[in-house]
Amino acid sequence: MKFGPIEFRHLRYFTAVVESKSFRAAAQRLHVSQPPLTRQVQQLEELLGVSLLERQPRGVELTAAGAVFYEEARNLLALAEQAIDRTQMAAQGQLGRLDIGVFGSAVFDAIPRVIQAFRLAYPKVDIVLHNLDRAGQIRALRERRLTVGFNRFFVEEVGLLWDVVLHEQLNVAVHEAHPFAKREQLNFDDLADQPLIVYPRTSRPSFIDQVLSMFHSRHLTPQIVQEVDDVVTAIALVSSGFGLTLASDSALTLRLPGVVYVPLEATEAQIDLCMIRRADDESALLRAFIDVVHAVLPPRG
């Protein structure tokens, strides 16, 4: 037979009678009068074509078929309650899946702090991180494979919104044997004639172009000796004595042998972390995540 004629009301009334051991007690428990409750259970038996209960002087007892149906009815009611709870949680941004694009040095400090705080606040939300450069994040956002992305560099894109969520100072990563390692601060003039390692070499414009603009605005030409894919590779080359590189505050957690970080003296020597999302995404889950980002990371300004 089909489930259609049977309603959840039938299941609730039937299970209440079984658990209360009588129609009268079940009616009191459900705050209904006894005759309608009795009719609903009888109707259920008619729809199923089986006897579920045996009426005894001291109450009711389950038939063999009734015992089976009782277990299944309880499961169905539990699933219905779970469906309601999960739907309400999803509407409140407490349930679902976040696909987050990450790239660059933010994965060493800022992003882990955000993820940890969000997991504590919303433990039932699944978080999946995707290592994608700027172009990859933009493509994945448009294809709805990402919920939100984080990158150091962003330009206006139709249908996408971005916020600067963190300002960080730049530092110079130098080998401990280099004379600069003993300095308290460095400036762009100091770096002009030094072998410089830059990154990432893909998805231009990128951090490379930001670094070049900082030099060019001071009428300086950096001596670039190597372009690499990421900050880890750049600092690894510094560790080998290959040259110098610039790194944000987040990258200071990268402790490679022989590498010393010296602050770059310049109010303009900042790098921004941007959060990118679709303009048409108004989900409660994304709003909840954005709130956590702004709570964890210092405000702009």
Side-chain angles (χ1 to χ4, degrees):
M1 69 164 286
K2 296 182 178 179
F3 180 76
I6 299 176
E7 301 177 2
F8 277 100
R9 180 178 65 255
H10 294 118
L11 305 184
R12 287 196 307 110
Y13 285 6
F14 169 69
T15 55
V17 171
V18 174
E19 292 164 2
S20 301
K21 305 296 185 183
S22 77
F23 284 88
R24 177 180 297 179
Q28 292 175 345
R29 170 179 164 179
L30 295 172
H31 305 290
V32 298
S33 60
Q34 186 174 336
L37 183 146
T38 302
R39 284 196 298 271
Q40 290 296 321
V41 174
Q42 290 173 341
Q43 186 181 58
L44 175 62
E45 291 179 311
E46 292 171 1
L47 289 169
L48 291 172
V50 299
S51 176
L52 299 173
L53 298 169
E54 291 182 355
R55 283 71 171 173
Q56 303 291 343
R58 295 184 179 181
V60 296
E61 293 183 3
L62 286 167
T63 63
V68 172
F69 189 78
Y70 172 65
E71 291 301 321
E72 299 300 337
R74 288 182 60 194
N75 292 336
L76 287 170
L77 290 171
L79 285 173
E81 290 181 5
Q82 183 184 75
I84 292 170
D85 290 342
R86 290 173 62 85
T87 300
Q88 292 175 338
M89 290 175 67
Q92 297 166 5
Q94 298 177 8
L95 188 71
R97 168 170 164 154
L98 277 174
D99 287 272
I100 302 172
V102 295
F103 189 75
S105 58
V107 300
F108 303 113
D109 179 59
I111 302 304
R113 287 190 284 125
V114 168
I115 299 302
Q116 182 182 32
F118 190 81
R119 284 191 185 278
L120 289 173
Y122 302 94
K124 294 185 181 296
V125 175
D126 294 326
I127 298 175
V128 182
L129 300 182
H130 304 266
N131 187 28
L132 296 168
D133 62 14
R134 181 176 58 86
Q137 288 186 20
I138 290 173
R139 184 167 55 253
L141 281 164
R142 294 196 185 284
E143 295 172 356
R144 299 186 179 275
R145 292 184 288 109
L146 279 188
T147 312
V148 66
F150 288 93
N151 211 285
R152 294 293 188 184
F153 184 82
F154 188 71
V155 294
E156 294 293 340
E157 292 279 347
V158 175
L160 299 180
L161 300 176
W162 61 278
D163 301 304
V164 175
V165 295
L166 182 64
H167 289 304
E168 291 187 281
Q169 290 297 126
L170 285 175
N171 305 271
V172 184
V174 304
H175 192 274
E176 61 184 3
H178 195 288
F180 285 173
K182 299 185 184 330
R183 297 274 294 272
E184 292 186 0
Q185 284 186 324
L186 293 168
N187 56 51
F188 282 97
D189 289 329
D190 296 324
L191 304 181
D193 59 353
Q194 295 293 319
L196 190 66
I197 305 160
V198 294
Y199 57 89
R201 59 185 164 194
T202 59
S203 187
R204 304 288 291 268
S206 66
F207 179 48
I208 290 178
D209 302 281
Q210 290 180 289
V211 169
L212 291 176
S213 68
M214 291 177 185
F215 278 95
H216 294 161
S217 66
R218 294 166 175 81
H219 307 290
L220 300 171
T221 302
Q223 305 303 309
I224 297 175
V225 294
Q226 187 72 44
E227 292 185 9
V228 297
D229 291 331
D230 52 49
V231 63
V232 176
T233 305
I235 294 177
L237 289 177
V238 173
S239 178
S240 68
F242 193 79
L244 315 180
T245 195
L246 298 181
S248 68
D249 288 338
S250 291
L252 302 187
T253 58
L254 284 171
R255 296 295 176 181
L256 274 67
V259 176
V260 175
Y261 296 99
V262 182
L264 191 57
E265 180 188 10
T267 55
E268 300 87 355
Q270 288 185 331
I271 182 169
D272 297 333
L273 178 63
C274 298
M275 178 173 59
I276 315 166
R277 64 190 189 279
R278 288 186 298 276
D280 63 355
D281 190 343
E282 299 180 354
S283 68
L285 182 56
L286 178 57
R287 289 198 301 272
F289 182 73
I290 292 172
D291 288 342
V292 171
V293 170
H294 290 307
V296 171
L297 300 181
R300 182 179 180 181

